[in-house]
């Protein structure tokens, strides 16, 4: 929630209406070109990690990107 609370006011200034659909963590290993999406937000619950992975694949096409419901 810390990121959303910081970013949301700036987005609203630009005319956007934002809603947090959930959270989680991203582990980025640039050496091995791996990204792992997992976990949840205690305040917002779990995001749809499959959506996050599809967005990451556009920017990190040469990475192995995975997700799980694991908390750690």
């Amino acid at each position: 929630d810390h990121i959303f609370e910081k970013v949301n006011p700036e987005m609203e200034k630009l005319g956007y209406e934002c809603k947090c659909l959930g959270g989680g963590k991203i582990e980025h290993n640039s050496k091995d070109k791996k990204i792992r999406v997992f976990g949840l937000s205690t305040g917002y619950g779990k995001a749809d990690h499959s959506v996050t992975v599809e967005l990451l694949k556009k920017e990190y096409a040469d990475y192995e990107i995975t997700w799980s419901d694991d908390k750690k």
Side-chain angles (χ1 to χ4, degrees), residues 4-5 7-8 11-12 16-23 44 47:
F4 181 72
E5 289 174 5
V7 172
N8 188 44
M11 297 299 287
E12 287 179 345
Y16 294 101
E17 183 178 329
C18 300
K19 180 179 178 184
C20 185
L21 302 176
Y44 295 104

Side-chain angles (χ1 to χ4, degrees), residues 48 54 64 66 71:
D48 183 344
E54 290 308 311
E64 176 186 334
T66 60
K71 294 182 180 178

Side-chain angles (χ1 to χ4, degrees), residues 5-69:
E5 289 174 5
K6 183 177 180 180
V7 172
N8 188 44
E10 297 301 318
M11 297 299 287
E12 287 179 345
K13 286 180 190 175
L14 296 172
Y16 294 101
E17 183 178 329
C18 300
K19 180 179 178 184
C20 185
L21 302 176
K25 296 175 178 69
I26 297 175
E27 182 178 272
H28 181 190
N29 181 332
S30 58
K31 180 183 166 221
D32 294 333
K33 292 195 169 193
K34 293 183 178 182
I35 296 176
R36 182 173 74 108
V37 181
F38 63 101
L40 53 91
S41 163
T42 55
Y44 295 104
K46 186 180 84 66
D48 183 344
H49 296 328
S50 65
V51 172
T52 306
V53 167
E54 290 308 311
L55 292 170
L56 287 168
K57 284 181 179 179
K58 292 178 183 178
E59 188 66 29
Y60 297 92
D62 58 338
Y63 274 61
E64 176 186 334
I65 304 175
T66 60
W67 70 270
S68 75
D69 289 330

